[in-house]
Amino acid sequence: MPENDPPRIGELFERTDAPADRPRDLLDVRELGPPHPLKRTLETLVDLDERAVLVQLNDRAPQHLYPKLRDRGFDYATVETDECVVTAIWR
């Protein structure tokens, strides 16, 4: 993850089932109102390297994103805390 990530993000990522040996891209959508987190995540996934894991930071679980990820062949795992929601997305 980028160096400026809060340390807790890496810890939360480790609690997911995402492959730990792959490069990670961070997408912070906590400040965006609906539907922008969904749109931004789907746009980012189009250009995501096949081996990379997208780590989305959100202020809520992205419930509307999950079926779209399944339809596109992505796996995902979400960890929720009081501070944020971390969703790892990969193929």
Side-chain angles (χ1 to χ4, degrees), residues 39-87:
K39 287 178 157 184
R40 178 82 54 87
T41 302
L42 293 176
E43 291 168 355
T44 301
L45 288 171
V46 169
D47 295 325
L48 186 69
D49 181 280
E50 179 122 350
R51 295 229 351 109
V53 177
L54 181 63
V55 180
Q56 184 210 61
L57 304 182
N58 205 331
D59 61 350
R60 65 186 72 98
Q63 298 296 327
H64 298 289
L65 178 63
Y66 299 146
K68 295 185 181 306
L69 293 175
R70 283 191 295 272
D71 290 347
R72 289 166 172 80
F74 287 95
D75 291 315
Y76 60 89
T78 298
V79 175
E80 297 184 50
T81 69
D82 291 337
E83 300 94 32
C84 72
V85 176
V86 174
T87 301

